[in-house]
Amino acid sequence: MPLLVNGERIDPGRPPAAMIRAYPHLEEKAKLLRSRPTQIVEPKGLLYVQQREFAVTTPKDGSVSILGSDDATTCHLVVLRHTGSGATCLTHCDGSDTEAEVSLIMSSVKSFSNSADYGRLELHLVGGFNDDRQLSQKLTNQLLRAFDLQPDDVHLVTFCVTELNDREEKDIHFPIIYGIAVNVKTAEIFPATFPEKGPDEDLRSAHILTGARLTNIYDAKKEQLHIGPYFWRPFPHVDFWLEQDDQQILENLSTSPLAEPPHFVSHIRSTLTFLKEHPFPSRSLFPDRKPRIYRKNQDGLWEQVCSDKI
């Protein structure tokens, strides 16, 4: 079954500009989203999703009320929600294996929605910009095609991607929205930034930098965050990269060097340092081959749980 807008099947090969001409209400919705002020989301009740991670939960969750992700330049932030069950998935996609990732997203939301007597699957796409390498455009098209191939009807509701999320300053293009949050209780989506991106920010970033596939980090039934176990080989030339100046790191380790947020280089340096300190995570981080498990405490903050208490 296809990807739909207003009940009509879309042509996933259309560029965003042509999509907007055909469905002008999508442009109005994108304009409305872009005009909203960026909210600072504190860690209480938040589940932060990094690149190549996803998480799904429902309004019944007593621990997590907000799913959020940011630092997306050419990446896209994908929200899929079932209007009957309220099951909501947030994914930070970078185009590494889009078709397989969309299948995972679909099955994760459907697993919480099988008993729903009514409702439909609604899709919200945010992110990307008019980058020189056209990586955003490519990812937009990949996502549209992948959702169009799904066996279920998917209704595209928000389309704030690529040129619809682009601003220009001194001939340089930037995204307007770098991050979003979704309230799983109310279904509200809004531009957001996150002072805290943990737990285990460096560990999760190291997993991405060493070539991870899309990973589900949350067990909504147990209300537990699962990190790992992750394994990688020693990162090649890590000392070389740590010796490079900021410009070299930007130019070689970013898909869009001119559009990255200010903390990009310090974040990459921190991740590289972590990889240098942990060349063999099976020894230093996951000797028992078990994930690090976190639950929200009474203050709404993540707290690691001892394995014998699970």
Side-chain angles (χ1 to χ4, degrees):
M1 299 296 284
L3 182 61
L4 305 168
V5 176
N6 286 352
E8 297 177 11
R9 185 173 189 174
I10 70 161
D11 175 1
R14 267 182 179 172
M19 282 269 292
I20 290 312
R21 283 194 295 273
Y23 307 106
H25 73 282
L26 286 177
E27 183 171 25
E28 285 305 309
K29 184 150 190 182
K31 187 187 288 186
L32 193 64
L33 184 63
R34 293 193 308 262
S35 69
R36 296 188 63 175
T38 300
Q39 295 185 37
I40 298 171
V41 178
E42 299 297 340
K44 185 176 181 179
L46 167 68
L47 196 169
Y48 184 83
V49 174
Q50 283 206 29
Q51 189 173 333
R52 288 193 209 164
E53 292 181 344
F54 74 96
V56 59
T57 191
T58 73
K60 296 177 183 175
D61 195 318
S63 302
V64 169
S65 55
I66 299 282
L67 300 175
S69 190
D70 64 355
D71 294 346
T73 52
T74 56
C75 290
H76 287 23
L77 305 173
V78 179
V79 176
L80 184 69
R81 182 177 180 272
H82 190 277
T83 59
S85 67
T88 303
C89 180
L90 173 64
T91 315
H92 188 133
C93 290
D94 62 6
S96 54
D97 192 1
T98 304
E99 205 167 303
E101 291 170 359
V102 166
S103 294
L104 269 177
I105 295 165
M106 289 287 293
S107 60
S108 70
V109 172
K110 286 165 62 179
S111 70
F112 285 92
S113 308
N114 290 333
S115 60
D117 296 328
Y118 66 94
R120 66 181 196 171
L121 290 164
E122 293 189 344
L123 176 64
H124 308 266
L125 300 177
V126 181
F129 68 110
N130 281 336
D131 63 284
D132 291 342
R133 296 163 65 189
Q134 295 192 315
L135 296 173
S136 303
Q137 176 75 68
K138 182 181 176 185
L139 181 52
T140 297
N141 292 341
Q142 285 178 354
L143 284 164
L144 293 174
R145 284 196 184 94
F147 276 105
D148 191 57
L149 290 171
Q150 298 308 305
D152 302 86
D153 285 353
V154 179
H155 298 264
L156 180 62
V157 175
T158 304
F159 191 62
C160 187
V161 292
T162 311
E163 57 225 67
L164 293 166
N165 190 45
D166 182 82
R167 69 180 178 88
E168 191 175 346
E169 188 177 314
K170 297 178 181 176
D171 297 326
I172 299 172
H173 290 266
F174 299 88
I176 297 169
I177 298 174
Y178 281 85
I180 59 168
V182 53
N183 185 318
V184 297
K185 314 291 187 191
T186 66
E188 179 191 13
I189 296 173
F190 53 91
T193 186
F194 309 89
E196 296 288 333
K197 304 176 194 289
D200 286 329
E201 182 181 357
D202 284 338
L203 168 58
R204 292 156 71 184
S205 298
H207 184 228
I208 301 158
L209 205 56
T210 53
R213 292 184 176 182
L214 186 69
T215 304
N216 184 2
I217 58 169
Y218 190 59
D219 184 335
K221 290 174 181 172
K222 294 182 179 178
E223 298 185 6
Q224 292 177 346
L225 183 66
H226 289 206
I227 305 300
Y230 298 148
F231 306 108
W232 54 73
R233 294 179 179 177
F235 193 78
H237 314 298
V238 67
D239 288 316
F240 167 81
W241 287 114
L242 283 167
E243 289 168 2
Q244 301 310 299
D245 61 27
D246 290 1
Q247 194 60 33
Q248 286 297 317
I249 287 178
L250 261 177
E251 288 177 2
N252 289 281
L253 298 180
S254 167
T255 59
S256 49
L258 297 176
E260 291 291 356
H263 54 267
F264 174 83
V265 171
S266 61
H267 168 71
I268 290 291
R269 287 193 188 281
S270 181
T271 305
L272 289 169
T273 301
F274 186 88
L275 284 165
K276 182 178 179 178
E277 292 169 352
H278 299 282
F280 300 102
S282 58
R283 297 176 195 169
S284 59
L285 298 170
F286 299 103
D288 57 0
R289 302 292 199 274
K290 292 180 180 177
R292 295 187 182 194
I293 296 177
Y294 296 84
R295 282 196 189 120
K296 288 288 189 181
N297 62 20
Q298 290 182 334
D299 297 321
L301 307 177
W302 293 115
E303 197 170 78
Q304 192 163 2
V305 180
C306 295
S307 56
D308 57 355
K309 293 181 180 177
I310 299 168

